Amino acid sequence: MNATTRLVDIVNRSLDGPVVEERTFDLTHVAQGVQQVVSDHGIKANPDNIVNLDDDMADRVWEAAVDLFATCGVFSKDTGRVIMFDRDEIEQIVRDAPSEVTIGEGPDERTEMSRTLDDPRPPLLMGGPIGSPTPNELFVPITRSYVQEPIVDVACAPTLTTIAGQEVRTKSPLEILAGWEEAKLTAEARHLAGRPGIGTTGIMISISDLANLSATSSGYVLPRDMHTFGIISELKTNNEIFNKLAHTVLMGGIVDPFANPIYGGLGGGVEGVAVLLTAEMIALSVVFMATCCGSSPTHPFHFHSTAPEIMRATSLSFQALARNARLLTNLTCSPVGGPGTKTVLYEAIAYAAMSTVSGASRILGPRSATGVIAAHFSGLEARLMGEAAHAATKLTREEAEAIVQTSVSKWEHLQDQQPYGLSFPEVYNVETVQPTDEWLGMYEEVKEEAIGWGLPLDS
Amino acid sequence: MRSDWLAEIVDRSETGPYSKESEFDLILVRVVPELVKKHGLKFDPEVLVPADDDMADRLYEAGLELLSTTGVYNQTTERRIILTRDEIEEVVAAAPRKVVLGTGKDAVTMSHRGVESEERCVIHSAPTGTPCTEKYHPLILQSAAREPLVDCLGSGSVATYMGRPVIPGTPTEILAARLGASVAREAVRKAGRPGMHINDVATPLTAQGKFAAMDQAKGLRSSDAFLVSQMVELKTDYDQLSRVPHMQNAGMHVVDLLTPLIGGMGGGAEGTAVVTIAELLLGTVCYSASYHIFGHMSLMNVNNTDRMGLWIYSIGGQAIARNSPLLMINAIYCRSGPGTTDLLWEVAAGSVATTVSGLHQGGVGCTGGSETDVYTGLEARFNAQVCHAALGMSREEANGYVLEFLNHYETSLADPNRGKPFRELYDVELVEPNESWLNQYEEVSAEITTMGLDMDRGWKRALETSIN
Amino acid sequence: MPLNKWDGLRREINLGAVEASAAEALRLVEAGEDPLTIFLEGIEPCLSEIGDRFGRLEIFLPELMLSADAVKAIQVELLPMLEADGSDYMKKGRVVIGTIFGDIHDIGKNIVSVLLQVSGFEVRDLGVAVPAQDIIDSAKDFDADIIGISGLMMPSLPYMRDAISLVKENPELADRFRIFVGGGPVTREWAEMVGADGFAEDAVSAVEEATRLMKLVKGESV
């Protein structure tokens, strides 16, 4: 089925699918559905581990997720109907989904490939703070601080806080102006870093479909760039999301959506979130025609993705995906720590190791300080995250588990302390776009420490 | 004042005086008659092409006063964007006096035309406001694009995508928008004129739908344009305003579409003329338009070929032509449909009244958009021939012709012949008009030639003297 | 340990058993318990415990939603009795809540909505992407004491400020509604700058904030 026909088919299902009350969908289809399949398949995560070491459990999570998605579907808020696919269709579409994609152009071209658990190839590193707020004057230096890191394969930009001195207002002309500005500034950062062809995703300011379509047509977006959009938690959509998808499909862009389940939300705890996250990755492939399926499961109170229980669920889910499908899957590291703290570095190491040995094909971020504190992120933590991912390819899951546990023990007690650290100009020279000696020293120190734990960052 | 003052328009949209839309309408209803009276504006049903320079200037002044009194209503924020007289005058003075439309060998220059100007009209054509079926849309556009006198194409609108209704704001609108754009691009390419200016893709109604139609290779490009509409009367919203920065950034032309309603908020002919002027100024100030579609219509009959409609075209066109550099194209909304001589007489009247009053030609809206597929390239050819025959004509003479043309169709306006769809008027393989439609065209052309308009050589002379 | 007379009721609420909860509450009334006492001594400590357990992530949103449904069912049965007794127990506070225009995030807002309900507030949840004026209209229609607005996307925040201005700049509404805001990019400083009455860091603190605002509404010291 060609892409347009598939898209029309999905739209038609959203117009013809069964009618359900939204609350019933939330509570019965999703929440009780998750509980049901968790119980049916006997899903139980080992509370002592963060990195999953149980292949059979991963396979059961996969089966549970397919069961869940086949009975639950995706709810369209605009039509009040559920987009349903049966088990055969789901399996067929997932089988046919791309297992590699080329991103970027020229010397900066990279291929993202589906990975297995013991894959010796590292996941791609997408460096950047992914839509975190940034004042205009810091947009280029911050983006450049990531793009200039040789270990960064692809990049994602922050987002502007104002345009023409005014707050950006969605669905107004200011959002159009801001979207074009972000696209332009991202291109500028690529050029200044000497990597004009590096693949990017961005224009995160343009949350509405019209601003997104406008800015992606700006000419600043390369044909092999990625187009990202989030679906509505949990397993919901609307026409605006499909409009972005339709435009991306027709432009021939790389469809790079994400679904971020909330820990403690409708999926419940570790087991439920593992199954729900897996089902959402499947949904991204089946309903949202994803080339790459992404997530950053989120803590309900502290908004990070590195909490031990969240990493436990994430590892289980991504292993389920890696063992049972060839999807391109990515994870965004949203640490609670910010630049100038060791916390963010420990979190980046733990998240990279967990993701790498759990089969993720790309790691994004870090979106330091949970991505909500303006300009509290820098390229240096991405460097360490990339290095940790490369090093983790030399580890068994058991070895990685030990590293993750040690790392977590360093900052677990700080999760609710908001260790947001320092802003970019306090940790980088804004003109030379180089880290300060203090920040670099801290990075070196943590790196040495991690080598001591057995993470081969030196080889 | 500066060229990129859209952020200022948004700021005023957020901070201007708050009012309910109905309250804004009431302001308009009160102010317009005062201005008509103050400036002594008077519609004479026997003088549809007035040769009264002073009245044209007074009308311009009334329009300027109206806009600087009421401001523009932003429906999204429910606030009035207040504009001072000085600001309006400054922006209007700096508006383009000519624009290049299209690219490469197919580019044309559209220049400001004065009253009774010898300057040739640029001819746009499209199924204006007329819905097409998916099946015939490509052929209908081709029939226009291949007419040698047509300079620019509008892409028209299609109500379905693969048989499903196109619902604004849904992905079918995105799909249909991109398809519509590629059909238009293909039409000009097939006509051997790949760089011809395309002035809109009318299927999508939302901004995101318009943006989806942009594609350098297969859709609209920077030498093309999209419409930004005004809502009746003197209203805009963020969806419309959001199109402006997109097109400015992409280097596209912004086309301002205004459709004041005769018998609506402006009242009769004089009041609607005042509203029309104010809206032409609005489109210049808020939308930074390259050119304007002057598209007033009767509230009841959805046409502008009756006496009031023709008078507004003429006096409104003169007011703008004499007092500003703005570029205008008409949209001749007719009661009749193709395949009838009535339609051709309506087109002839609209064409002459606007040509001598400073407008370029924007195309024919058959049946006021009430029927589907009622457009053919032949009426575009006819429109072009009539207007070029009227170049340099005096207003008095033009008035005589318009009244004579009106005699041929005025009585049928109440109960018009809606004509036939494209497939019954054209050979759909050759994309050529069939004999009966061609005969009607030749019959009316001959009659007009007998009246003294040179249907055959007028356009040839125009092209000889034209810089394009 | 002797069986507490509220244990049965609390078990049903914890299970989210709608009908059984209502039935147990009615049984307690028939056994001679005063409806107000049932709420104050039976239900409130139970709800407080449920909120705390969610705060510690021992239970999750689905359990919260079901427990809220159970309490609502009890309210339906016991409310007429409370009113007949002239009690103002149910006047804990009325809240309209929604995610602001331009934003479709709903889980965080749903958690706040449910936590408020299990804490005894009457809540009208307007859903997501709600225009500023609609929030105000709903607050009037619902006769709310408090308006809660959530927003996770920066370009949506100007609309949140609009909603606050529509209340604070309107002399007829300025004292009628207390507004509190929250969500990813919303900070305490921003909330203060735009004139919000309250700010919630997360879902648990949202209940504390609503409780504080209700004291202001009632003219109590906070």
Side-chain angles (χ1 to χ4, degrees):
Chain A
M1 209 188 276
N2 70 44
T4 316
T5 313
R6 224 183 120 188
L7 185 63
V8 171
D9 173 60
I10 292 163
V11 172
N12 288 346
R13 288 181 201 230
S14 81
L15 296 170
D16 301 336
V19 176
V20 179
E21 281 289 325
E22 187 168 356
R23 197 168 188 283
T24 307
F25 179 82
D26 288 346
L27 212 47
T28 310
H29 286 224
V30 180
Q32 289 176 5
V34 168
Q35 286 174 6
Q36 186 66 49
V37 297
V38 164
S39 151
D40 289 352
H41 293 271
I43 312 286
K44 186 74 194 123
N46 184 341
D48 298 328
N49 294 342
I50 289 176
V51 174
N52 177 56
L53 303 174
D54 182 345
D55 288 345
D56 178 58
M57 191 54 68
D59 294 344
R60 280 194 262 159
V61 166
W62 169 263
E63 289 301 321
V66 176
D67 277 359
L68 173 66
F69 183 55
T71 52
C72 174
V74 166
F75 180 77
S76 165
K77 288 173 84 86
D78 281 327
T79 64
R81 292 173 185 272
V82 182
I83 301 164
M84 299 294 298
F85 281 84
D86 66 31
R87 216 186 151 95
D88 287 346
E89 290 172 319
I90 294 166
E91 286 172 355
Q92 181 68 45
I93 293 169
V94 168
R95 231 185 346 261
D96 293 344
S99 59
E100 62 174 65
V101 63
T102 304
I103 306 166
E105 293 169 2
D108 293 305
E109 179 183 299
R110 297 288 183 276
T111 302
E112 180 174 337
M113 283 172 282
S114 173
R115 292 179 66 250
T116 56
L117 298 189
D118 51 359
D119 208 311
R121 302 165 305 179
L124 284 197
L125 174 63
M126 178 177 245
I130 318 174
S132 304
T134 300
N136 297 35
E137 66 277 12
L138 291 177
F139 191 98
V140 171
I142 287 180
T143 308
R144 200 175 158 184
S145 79
Y146 292 86
V147 176
Q148 71 187 6
E149 293 291 339
I151 202 163
V152 167
D153 298 299
V154 286
C156 49
T159 203
L160 291 168
T161 45
T162 58
I163 186 78
Q166 295 184 45
E167 278 178 290
V168 181
R169 185 177 278 265
T170 185
K171 298 197 186 203
S172 87
L174 296 177
E175 193 190 15
I176 308 274
L177 288 170
W180 280 67
E181 187 70 8
E182 274 193 21
K184 191 196 80 182
L185 294 176
T186 305
E188 197 177 319
R190 296 202 286 216
H191 282 269
L192 285 172
R195 301 180 73 181
I198 190 173
T200 60
T201 191
I203 318 176
M204 310 297 280
I205 192 73
S206 301
I207 58 173
S208 75
D209 52 355
L210 77 160
N212 186 280
L213 263 67
S214 175
T216 52
S217 307
S218 64
Y220 293 114
V221 177
L222 303 176
R224 283 196 191 158
D225 277 342
M226 283 159 289
H227 298 252
T228 192
F229 54 84
I231 74 164
I232 308 172
S233 297
E234 309 290 353
L235 289 167
K236 293 189 223 175
T237 186
N238 63 13
N239 280 331
E240 201 164 13
I241 291 169
F242 281 143
N243 288 343
K244 295 179 193 175
L245 171 62
H247 189 60
T248 305
V249 165
L250 294 172
M251 283 180 78
I254 298 169
V255 184
D256 187 29
F258 60 89
N260 294 348
I262 312 292
Y263 186 82
L266 296 175
V270 173
E271 289 79 7
V273 169
V275 172
L276 180 59
L277 171 56
T278 312
E280 291 191 324
M281 295 299 98
I282 296 170
L284 289 181
S285 175
V286 173
V287 176
F288 300 93
M289 299 172 64
T291 315
C292 312
C293 310
S295 186
S296 184
T298 305
H299 193 276
F301 306 137
H302 312 313
F303 314 116
H304 58 324
S305 68
T306 52
E309 60 271 35
I310 293 179
M311 287 204 286
R312 186 172 296 124
T314 306
S315 175
L316 186 51
S317 166
F318 269 55
Q319 291 190 22
L321 290 159
R323 284 178 53 81
N324 293 278
R326 302 277 292 148
L327 296 176
L328 296 168
T329 56
N330 64 75
L331 285 168
T332 297
C333 176
S334 295
V336 71
T341 71
K342 286 191 176 180
T343 308
V344 70
L345 300 174
Y346 293 134
E347 288 179 275
I349 288 172
Y351 204 79
M354 179 279 293
S355 307
T356 302
V357 300
S358 299
S361 49
R362 178 169 24 118
I363 311 177
L364 290 70
R367 190 165 53 177
S368 309
T370 72
V372 297
I373 311 297
H376 275 55
F377 25 78
S378 78
L380 191 61
E381 54 260 34
R383 185 194 299 177
L384 187 63
M385 186 165 84
E387 289 170 337
H390 284 246
T393 57
K394 302 183 180 76
L395 302 179
T396 63
R397 276 184 284 172
E398 287 78 3
E399 289 165 339
E401 161 68 5
I403 303 274
V404 172
Q405 291 286 3
T406 311
S407 179
V408 165
S409 70
K410 301 280 181 187
W411 52 268
E412 195 172 10
H413 58 291
L414 296 173
Q415 286 182 93
D416 58 355
Q417 306 295 309
Q418 305 186 336
Y420 295 153
L422 303 171
S423 69
F424 184 79
E426 295 172 293
V427 294
Y428 263 64
N429 178 323
V430 175
E431 260 115 63
T432 61
V433 196
Q434 289 301 315
T436 59
D437 290 347
E438 294 78 12
W439 183 213
L440 203 55
M442 207 177 267
Y443 153 85
E444 296 288 359
E445 231 173 277
V446 170
K447 200 169 160 179
E448 279 306 310
E449 208 178 334
I451 292 168
W453 304 338
L455 184 64
L457 284 164
D458 48 351
S459 61
Chain B
M1 195 52 56
R2 54 184 205 271
S3 64
D4 61 339
W5 80 316
L6 196 70
E8 180 68 29
I9 297 285
V10 174
D11 193 43
R12 293 186 196 188
S13 294
E14 298 293 335
T15 55
Y18 176 82
S19 95
K20 288 278 171 205
E21 193 165 340
S22 55
E23 291 164 9
F24 180 79
D25 291 343
L26 284 176
I27 298 174
L28 208 63
V29 169
R30 186 175 50 75
V31 173
V32 171
E34 286 170 10
L35 290 169
V36 169
K37 194 173 168 198
K38 174 180 169 188
H39 293 283
L41 304 173
K42 190 75 196 127
F43 163 62
D44 178 349
E46 293 306 319
V47 185
L48 304 181
V49 184
D52 182 345
D53 288 347
D54 191 59
M55 183 158 74
D57 295 348
R58 294 198 311 269
L59 173 61
Y60 185 84
E61 175 59 28
L64 186 56
E65 275 185 47
L66 176 60
L67 185 62
S68 53
T69 306
T70 60
V72 180
Y73 188 74
N74 184 328
Q75 291 175 324
T76 309
T77 61
E78 299 184 307
R79 288 177 191 271
R80 285 158 58 199
I81 304 166
I82 299 297
L83 303 165
T84 68
R85 188 187 169 95
D86 285 350
E87 285 170 337
I88 299 166
E89 287 187 314
E90 207 172 316
V91 178
V92 168
R97 184 167 281 275
K98 66 178 177 186
V99 290
V100 176
L101 304 177
T103 185
K105 72 174 177 57
D106 302 313
V108 291
T109 303
M110 188 159 86
S111 305
H112 179 75
R113 297 185 69 250
V115 175
E116 300 177 359
S117 172
E118 291 275 4
E119 172 82 31
R120 72 166 281 226
C121 289
V122 169
I123 311 293
H124 296 242
S125 189
T128 307
T130 306
C132 300
T133 56
E134 281 184 74
K135 184 173 179 183
Y136 291 106
H137 183 228
L139 298 178
I140 286 173
L141 293 193
Q142 238 177 293
S143 79
R146 68 192 324 213
E147 285 294 333
L149 297 183
V150 169
D151 301 301
C152 306
L153 184 71
S155 84
S157 68
V158 179
T160 58
Y161 178 80
M162 291 174 80
R164 288 253 182 179
V166 176
I167 306 163
T170 72
T172 35
E173 186 189 34
I174 307 289
L175 293 165
R178 290 190 67 98
L179 178 63
S182 68
V183 165
R185 177 63 56 212
E186 185 61 12
V188 296
R189 197 192 60 75
K190 270 193 174 164
R193 310 166 81 183
M196 183 190 271
H197 174 73
I198 299 171
N199 70 22
D200 191 34
V201 174
T203 298
L205 298 178
T206 66
Q208 62 268 33
K210 298 281 183 193
F211 301 160
M214 241 189 107
D215 186 313
Q216 287 297 323
K218 298 181 286 293
L220 267 60
R221 21 168 119 136
S222 46
S223 55
D224 298 322
F226 288 118
L227 304 190
V228 181
S229 302
Q230 299 183 34
M231 276 64 77
V232 287
E233 303 292 0
L234 290 166
K235 291 171 194 164
T236 186
D237 65 15
Y238 274 161
D239 184 87
Q240 299 295 335
L241 282 168
S242 292
R243 303 167 193 211
V244 177
H246 176 87
M247 286 188 269
Q248 283 182 332
N249 277 296
M252 292 178 88
H253 293 289
V254 174
V255 184
D256 166 37
L257 172 65
L258 50 132
T259 53
L261 295 177
I262 307 165
M265 234 77 76
E270 299 91 341
T272 307
V274 175
V275 168
T276 301
I277 301 302
E279 293 188 356
L280 285 157
L281 301 176
L282 184 168
T284 308
V285 177
C286 291
Y287 296 167
S288 305
S290 289
Y291 60 96
H292 305 259
I293 299 183
F294 186 146
H296 63 294
M297 60 178 78
S298 151
L299 177 66
M300 300 305 292
N301 288 338
V302 198
N303 71 327
N304 51 32
T305 50
D306 58 7
R307 286 177 192 260
M308 283 195 196
L310 293 165
W311 181 80
I312 293 168
Y313 256 145
S314 180
I315 193 74
Q318 292 180 49
I320 292 292
R322 286 177 52 79
N323 294 282
S324 83
L326 304 188
L327 301 168
M328 305 167 279
I329 64 174
N330 63 18
I332 309 175
Y333 292 113
C334 300
R335 290 282 281 161
S336 328
T340 70
T341 53
D342 289 348
L343 176 79
L344 299 173
W345 289 115
E346 286 187 75
V347 172
S351 184
V352 169
T354 54
T355 300
V356 300
S357 305
L359 286 87
H360 292 270
Q361 302 298 305
V364 179
C366 301
T367 76
S370 68
E371 308 290 322
T372 300
D373 282 345
V374 282
Y375 170 88
T376 77
L378 190 61
E379 56 263 24
R381 183 191 306 176
F382 178 80
N383 180 11
Q385 285 178 291
V386 174
C387 84
H388 287 136
L391 293 181
M393 184 184 282
S394 75
R395 284 169 285 179
E396 290 83 352
E397 197 184 352
N399 189 54
Y401 280 115
V402 170
L403 289 172
E404 266 194 79
F405 298 157
L406 194 62
N407 279 338
H408 284 82
Y409 68 86
E410 193 171 25
T411 51
S412 72
L413 287 175
D415 184 20
N417 183 344
R418 299 300 202 181
K420 295 173 181 169
F422 178 82
R423 66 177 182 279
E424 293 177 33
L425 299 171
Y426 261 57
D427 179 323
V428 295
E429 302 295 330
L430 299 173
V431 197
E432 288 287 353
N434 63 25
E435 207 180 324
S436 69
W437 181 213
L438 212 51
N439 285 342
Q440 288 175 313
Y441 154 81
E442 279 165 1
E443 176 196 320
V444 177
S445 297
E447 206 167 332
I448 288 177
T449 306
T450 314
M451 289 176 189
L453 273 174
D454 193 344
M455 290 289 280
D456 186 35
R457 284 196 299 274
W459 63 270
K460 293 176 187 161
R461 271 200 307 275
L463 291 186
E464 275 164 25
T465 55
S466 162
I467 55 168
N468 285 304
Chain C
M1 207 163 75
L3 195 67
N4 185 313
K5 64 182 170 186
W6 308 122
D7 280 357
L9 184 64
R10 289 175 184 174
R11 187 182 59 243
E12 302 302 351
I13 294 173
N14 272 302
L15 286 171
V18 172
E19 286 163 14
S21 297
E24 176 63 11
L26 286 173
R27 192 195 62 76
L28 287 166
V29 172
E30 276 167 27
E33 292 296 340
D34 169 40
L36 185 60
T37 310
I38 295 177
F39 275 102
L40 292 177
E41 294 178 15
I43 297 174
E44 277 206 359
C46 172
L47 292 178
S48 170
E49 173 62 17
I50 288 173
D52 289 348
R53 289 177 66 205
F54 180 72
R56 296 191 298 270
L57 289 174
E58 293 166 8
I59 57 164
F60 306 115
L61 182 58
E63 289 94 323
L64 274 184
M65 291 168 78
L66 291 170
S67 293
D69 278 0
V71 174
K72 273 190 247 170
I74 297 171
Q75 286 171 350
V76 169
E77 297 297 341
L78 267 53
L79 188 59
M81 302 177 198
L82 283 175
E83 280 174 353
D85 292 349
S87 162
D88 65 352
Y89 173 76
M90 288 307 294
K91 306 277 188 297
K92 188 149 188 179
R94 295 168 73 82
V95 183
V96 295
I97 188 167
T99 303
I100 195 65
F101 179 77
D103 189 359
I104 50 177
H105 286 89
D106 69 349
I107 294 281
K109 181 266 300 165
N110 290 350
I111 293 174
V112 174
S113 168
V114 177
L115 277 177
L116 287 170
Q117 289 174 53
V118 298
S119 304
F121 286 88
E122 286 180 82
V123 178
R124 181 184 279 185
D125 189 335
L126 306 177
V128 298
V130 192
Q133 188 61 51
D134 289 4
I135 295 178
I136 311 307
D137 291 345
S138 297
K140 285 193 259 186
D141 181 59
F142 188 58
D143 195 19
D145 302 301
I146 297 174
I147 296 171
I149 315 175
S150 161
L152 274 80
M153 307 303 285
M154 225 168 26
S156 281
L157 297 194
Y159 295 99
M160 201 187 274
R161 194 186 49 201
D162 288 352
I164 295 165
S165 305
L166 283 173
V167 171
K168 298 302 170 191
E169 291 174 22
N170 182 338
E172 290 178 34
L173 299 180
D175 293 327
R176 184 167 164 192
F177 304 125
R178 305 283 168 173
I179 306 179
F180 75 112
V181 295
V186 179
T187 60
R188 187 173 296 282
E189 294 71 39
W190 187 85
E192 280 170 12
M193 186 186 78
V194 298
D197 301 298
F199 162 75
E201 184 92 47
D202 56 41
V204 175
S205 70
V207 176
E208 293 162 11
E209 195 63 355
T211 308
R212 183 182 73 84
L213 293 178
M214 272 319 291
K215 287 186 179 163
L216 289 177
V217 170
K218 292 176 178 171
E220 298 168 15
S221 59
V222 289

